[in-house]
């Protein structure tokens, strides 16, 4: 069986959320981890916005002026040593989506380990709850 480190990280983070934050609503995108049949793939493609690269985890909790939290989970850092984003087309597309989401009032972050994801989540969810109109 093929190793899927991003999926394993996704499982860890979601279990943490379910145990630590029982009342928090969240969704984890699993389409990238599933081998779809050709008809399933065609149906999925027909209802998805092509340039939108949905982050792996969405937390539907407004905090401190943000409408929610999106986290893109990675098996390794998406950044070069100098702090710039690596030049992969896939990463660049994800980064563009995250910039658009930030512009709409969401907090968006990359996380490439359980500890990084947990820190982002804990810091976000410990902020003051805000309501949106």
């Amino acid at each position: 069986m093929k190793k899927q480190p991003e999926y394993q990280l996704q499982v860890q983070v979601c279990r943490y959320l379910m145990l630590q934050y029982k009342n928090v609503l969240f969704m984890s995108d699993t389409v990238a981890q599933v081998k779809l049949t050709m008809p399933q793939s065609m149906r999925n493609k027909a209802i998805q916005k092509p340039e939108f690269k949905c982050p792996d985890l969405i937390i539907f909790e407004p905090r401190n002026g943000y409408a929610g939290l999106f986290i893109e989970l990675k098996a390794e850092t998406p950044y070069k040593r100098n702090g710039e984003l690596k030049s992969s087309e896939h990463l660049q597309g994800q980064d563009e989506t995250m910039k658009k989401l930030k512009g709409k009032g969401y907090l968006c972050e990359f996380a490439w380990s359980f500890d990084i994801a947990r820190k982002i989540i804990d810091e976000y969810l410990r902020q003051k709850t805000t309501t949106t109109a």
Side-chain angles (χ1 to χ4, degrees):
M1 183 175 199
K2 184 179 170 187
K3 285 189 175 185
Q4 297 179 318
E6 282 184 24
Y7 173 73
Q8 295 304 320
L9 177 57
Q10 201 168 4
V11 169
Q12 285 180 302
V13 172
C14 290
R15 284 185 180 155
Y16 176 74
L17 274 165
M18 287 184 268
L19 291 170
Q20 194 69 24
Y21 298 99
K22 292 179 181 11
N23 296 322
V24 166
L25 301 176
F26 71 93
M27 184 184 99
S28 187
D29 181 31
T30 58
V31 172
Q33 309 297 333
V34 177
K35 179 78 171 157
L36 300 175
T37 64
M38 185 57 73
Q40 290 169 328
S41 179
M42 290 170 56
R43 288 178 73 181
N44 185 61
K45 190 173 183 173
I47 61 172
Q48 301 301 324
K49 187 169 178 104
E51 66 275 8
F52 182 73
K53 309 293 183 205
C54 188
D56 297 310
L57 182 67
I58 306 165
I59 296 178
F60 300 99
E61 297 289 332
R63 292 288 191 279
N64 202 24
Y66 292 107
L69 172 63
F70 286 78
I71 301 176
E72 179 60 50
L73 299 167
K74 295 289 170 202
E76 60 185 42
T77 180
Y79 298 104
K80 299 176 188 176
R81 289 180 190 225
N82 66 3
E84 292 177 14
L85 192 66
K86 292 178 182 176
S87 58
S88 116
E89 187 177 322
H90 183 69
L91 273 176
Q92 295 295 328
Q94 289 174 326
D95 190 52
E96 282 304 311
T97 291
M98 290 171 69
K99 286 177 183 172
K100 289 175 185 175
L101 289 166
K102 287 176 183 178
K104 293 183 179 289
Y106 296 95
L107 179 61
C108 301
E109 300 287 347
F110 283 104
W112 52 96
S113 74
F114 174 75
D115 288 337
I116 292 169
R118 184 186 64 209
K119 182 179 180 198
I120 292 167
I121 291 165
D122 289 346
E123 286 179 2
Y124 180 79
L125 291 174
R126 289 182 181 143
Q127 294 180 47
K128 181 181 174 188
T129 302
T130 56
T131 56
T132 55

